[in-house]
Amino acid sequence: MTTMPEAAVPNAASQNGDILLEVKNLKMYFPVGSGFLSRKPVGYVKAVDDISFTVKRGETLGLVGESGCGKTTTGRCILQLYKPTAGQIIFDGQDLTQLNTKRMRAMRREMQVIFQDPYSSLNPRMTAGNIIGEPLIVHGLVKGKQEYREKVADLLQNVGLNPYMADRFPHEFSGGQRQRIGVARALSVSPKFIVADEPVSALDVSIQAQIINLLEDLQEQFNLTYLFIAHDLSVVRHISDRVGVMYLGHMVEMSDRNEIYRNPIHPYTKALLSAVPIPDPVLDAQRDRVLLTGEVPSPLNPPSGCVFHPRCPVASDNCSAVLPELREVEPEHYAACILATGYGNY
Ligand code: SF4
């Protein structure tokens, strides 16, 4: 199999000094054993396979793809909840993969997460106030009860909840309110960076917009940087400055959000976009649909060459032999497809 020469790193730090996060050649392979007693791996699930990207301070990078594409694993590797198999996670100038436990603990304050499911991510036996306030105590950010209560009240107000709700338990809140508690908890330690892992997927559509608007307001107020993970392209469009599309552990396209919606290059992005409903029924009926056949292949045994080739509607013989790297096809618009990158005659 041929691999294309040297891939591009979208918005590489060398071109822009205002980079908060740089992910370089990240790989996350999970070993798979042969049986209950055997510890020897017989294979590896390649959940993330050599991806590179950057996130600028104050921006939101949307990461999209079908379930199992590696987007959540990428978020967890960045937060060092998983130890990456290979690659670097450079956050604010420090490679997190090289930090010892003590320094990583201090760094955790800078990076927080908002989980998908507001029903299971909150401890049902703790009050909302204690859920939000716990990180303040863990990180020693308050002196005394009075300051603790005031901070918790401020945080509740920041996310649109009334301070008197601090003594309530999670089951007394609606889904949207619970997600607000999750947001307040993430905010409590004044982070620079938040991984929002499908934060609205479990919510009603009407509530989704409220949470997204809240996240946007908080970003402006506290100068936050987001990695916003979602499987729904219509959700990321609203909140993201740039969008990265993942497929089977690979980054297949990345660009400014308007550009990627106006001018998708990779056949997988085109297929995802053609599935997004358009409110105007006339326009919706006129547009070309790209229908994908088959299931996403197993990351335990990914296809050769371009991992998308078994489902790609425009695949050629070269596609199973060549692994396309992410390349700048148009200014600040990156794609990994041999048709777009000019290697179609390999
Ligand atoms: Fe399709 Fe080939 Fe491009 Fe992969 S490299 S997206 S299979 S055309």
Side-chain angles (χ1 to χ4, degrees):
M1 186 174 68
T2 315
T3 302
M4 290 192 184
E6 203 193 339
V9 179
N11 269 328
S14 55
Q15 296 162 16
N16 190 327
D18 208 18
I19 300 292
L20 178 65
L21 172 73
E22 185 168 7
V23 173
K24 278 186 174 175
N25 305 108
L26 177 68
K27 291 183 184 178
M28 186 68 230
Y29 296 175
F30 294 101
V32 178
S34 61
F36 185 60
L37 294 173
S38 170
R39 287 174 163 249
K40 202 173 162 205
V42 291
Y44 291 89
V45 171
K46 296 180 175 178
V48 177
D49 199 5
D50 201 3
I51 65 168
S52 300
F53 62 89
T54 57
V55 188
K56 289 183 227 163
R57 285 175 207 278
E59 90 165 335
T60 299
L61 176 68
L63 213 50
V64 290
E66 290 161 287
S67 88
C69 71
K71 52 194 192 304
T72 291
T73 304
T74 301
R76 291 187 178 187
C77 287
I78 292 169
L79 296 165
Q80 295 293 291
L81 300 176
Y82 293 148
K83 186 96 189 132
T85 309
Q88 289 177 295
I89 311 284
I90 300 167
F91 181 81
D92 222 0
Q94 296 193 66
D95 184 355
L96 301 185
T97 62
Q98 302 301 316
L99 294 188
N100 60 29
T101 312
K102 192 176 166 200
R103 287 181 65 201
M104 190 58 224
R105 197 178 300 134
M107 191 58 98
R108 287 207 185 282
R109 246 191 80 187
E110 311 280 343
M111 317 168 79
Q112 291 293 304
V113 61
I114 300 167
F115 293 103
Q116 173 180 1
D117 189 353
Y119 298 90
S120 63
S121 61
L122 305 180
N123 186 337
R125 284 185 284 275
M126 287 172 77
T127 63
N130 287 341
I131 289 170
I132 295 167
E134 188 182 41
L136 295 171
I137 295 170
V138 169
H139 291 279
L141 300 176
V142 281
K143 298 184 203 81
K145 281 187 180 169
Q146 182 62 23
E147 191 185 357
Y148 173 82
R149 277 197 215 98
E150 284 171 10
K151 282 220 169 186
V152 168
D154 284 349
L155 286 160
L156 282 163
Q157 274 178 326
N158 284 334
V159 298
L161 294 174
N162 201 308
Y164 74 75
M165 295 174 165
D167 294 329
R168 293 186 185 175
F169 288 89
H171 72 269
E172 297 176 76
F173 292 92
S174 68
Q177 286 175 325
R178 284 185 222 195
Q179 196 53 298
R180 287 174 191 266
I181 295 169
V183 173
R185 183 181 164 91
L187 272 187
S188 63
V189 291
S190 308
K192 290 180 182 159
F193 176 69
I194 292 180
V195 173
D197 188 1
E198 305 235 17
V200 297
S201 305
L203 303 175
D204 291 347
V205 174
S206 57
I207 309 294
Q208 288 184 356
Q210 292 175 15
I211 298 296
I212 287 180
N213 288 341
L214 171 70
L215 290 172
E216 284 187 318
D217 291 346
L218 294 171
Q219 180 171 41
E220 207 176 309
Q221 196 177 344
F222 297 108
N223 195 23
L224 295 166
T225 303
Y226 292 141
L227 181 71
F228 192 99
I229 296 169
H231 59 266
D232 185 340
L233 265 165
S234 53
V235 170
V236 269
R237 180 174 198 169
H238 187 77
I239 193 167
S240 306
D241 298 295
R242 287 184 303 133
V243 175
V245 180
M246 287 187 72
Y247 183 82
L248 210 60
H250 295 259
M251 190 74 76
V252 297
E253 186 158 2
M254 182 172 274
S255 183
D256 170 84
R257 59 122 181 244
N258 291 326
E259 166 70 8
I260 212 164
Y261 286 86
R262 197 172 42 226
N263 177 29
I265 289 174
H266 197 281
Y268 179 59
T269 314
K270 289 181 183 175
L272 283 184
L273 275 174
S274 79
V276 173
I278 294 178
D280 184 333
V282 179
L283 285 178
D284 197 39
Q286 284 170 354
R287 68 185 173 147
D288 293 334
R289 300 242 178 229
V290 183
L291 292 176
L292 294 181
T293 52
E295 297 289 316
V296 181
S298 166
L300 185 58
N301 186 20
S304 63
C306 173
V307 290
F308 187 54
H309 84 260
R311 300 174 77 199
C312 180
V314 291
S316 65
D317 289 346
N318 291 330
C319 298
S320 58
V322 178
L323 174 62
E325 301 272 17
L326 195 68
R327 294 188 160 273
E328 192 168 16
V329 179
E330 289 170 20
E332 296 300 326
H333 191 158
Y334 300 78
C337 170
I338 59 172
L339 297 183
T341 52
Y343 287 84
N345 296 323
Y346 246 55

